[in-house]
Amino acid sequence: MERSPFEINLHYLSMAELYAFKDDYPGYEDTVLKMFALKDEFVFEDEILKNHGKQTMQEVEEENDVRYVEVGEREREGKPVRVWIDTWADQIIMPGELAHGIFFTYKIRHLDLTDLDAFLDFHLEKYYADDFTKFSRFLTLTIRKHARRLLQGEHVLTIQEWIKQKQDEQSSEQQEKTVRLKGRPQRNGDDKITVLNQEQTVLLIHYLKKAKVFFQDDYLTNKQAGQAFHILTGYSADSLRQKLANHELNQINSKKNLVDLKNLFVNIMNLISNDLNEKK
């Protein structure tokens, strides 16, 4: 599966830092080394030689002069073996990992300003489950801690504008929701107001997307689908969105839910058949 260019991939980030900010690279490399040291993550020398098809580390370093840093020896099967840190490892740095904030900032400074909104949208949805409050707080603290040293003023301004725009959108959505749902009953997961309960409604969305009745994931996010079916059913948009995540779908894909959903489609087919017969 092809990775998004908005992921924080250490391999490409290290490459970009070396070529775009060569004078600052020692400081960046030190950050990478500290991260791996804190995680106690390293590569045995023989594994490096095997991966590169070389006999000695000198040969490896001739082709990868800034990639590997020796950090001593570790015992393996009762014998000491030299170990190295791979500062260009093909590794995605995600929220919750050590030093995520500073690598997030390093990533930003390689982005064109026109891509910054899409980058922030990507991380908000993928890694923060559209929890804007949590993500905006992370952005604020990250800017406060790292922006002065690593970012241009234009990047900071663009991030602040994005936060303000999202706040305005949330306020507008809440006002529309209040007007739209005035007088409608508060839903719970299995209140029988509509034929399908909340879990079965999520499965309906899933299978309609799979059957290409709706846009696919590139054009229809879980958040958008949740908002649409919130209007149609009254179920919580956030609950629908959360249950559309793959791990949640696996949990609600029970035999009972599938049977009830199938019965709904059988009923729909009968309704269509009755109308079709009248056309003869």
Side-chain angles (χ1 to χ4, degrees), residues 47 55 128 215:
E47 294 174 359
Q55 297 296 315
Y128 289 84
F215 280 129

Side-chain angles (χ1 to χ4, degrees), residues 69 109 117 150 176 206 210 267-268:
V69 176
R109 76 171 178 172
D117 282 4
L150 297 177
E176 291 179 7
H206 168 69
K210 198 170 183 178
N267 187 40
I268 292 173

Side-chain angles (χ1 to χ4, degrees), residues 134-270:
K134 184 177 181 180
F135 185 53
S136 62
R137 183 59 178 165
F138 162 75
L139 287 176
T140 299
L141 295 177
T142 298
I143 291 171
R144 185 178 299 161
K145 187 173 183 179
H146 303 297
R148 183 177 299 177
R149 181 169 66 90
L150 297 177
L151 298 181
Q152 299 294 322
E154 293 85 353
H155 284 95
V156 176
L157 178 60
T158 304
I159 294 170
Q160 291 171 339
E161 289 173 342
W162 181 88
I163 292 174
K164 178 63 167 59
Q165 181 181 346
K166 291 295 181 183
Q167 289 172 334
D168 292 344
E169 288 176 359
Q170 282 202 338
S171 177
S172 177
E173 287 176 3
Q174 186 58 42
Q175 291 175 1
E176 291 179 7
K177 178 181 176 181
T178 300
V179 173
R180 186 169 60 237
L181 297 182
K182 187 176 181 180
R184 296 176 64 180
Q186 185 74 27
R187 297 300 306 271
N188 60 56
D190 198 12
D191 55 21
K192 309 297 184 184
I193 295 176
T194 52
V195 174
L196 300 180
N197 64 27
Q198 188 178 75
E199 290 184 351
Q200 293 160 358
T201 300
V202 171
L203 289 175
L204 174 65
I205 299 170
H206 168 69
Y207 283 110
L208 288 176
K209 287 177 66 177
K210 198 170 183 178
K212 298 186 178 180
V213 175
F214 299 153
F215 280 129
Q216 303 303 295
D217 292 342
D218 290 344
Y219 303 106
L220 179 68
T221 66
N222 290 344
K223 178 181 179 181
Q224 292 166 337
Q227 290 170 336
F229 272 76
H230 166 65
I231 297 171
L232 295 171
T233 67
Y235 288 127
S236 164
D238 283 339
S239 295
L240 294 173
R241 170 185 57 78
Q242 291 167 5
K243 289 183 181 297
L244 280 166
N246 287 334
H247 65 283
E248 290 285 348
L249 282 171
N250 290 335
Q251 292 181 14
I252 66 177
N253 202 29
S254 66
K255 183 174 181 179
K256 181 184 183 306
N257 283 339
L258 290 174
V259 168
D260 287 348
L261 188 59
K262 180 180 179 180
N263 289 340
L264 169 65
F265 280 103
V266 170
N267 187 40
I268 292 173
M269 286 296 298
N270 289 335

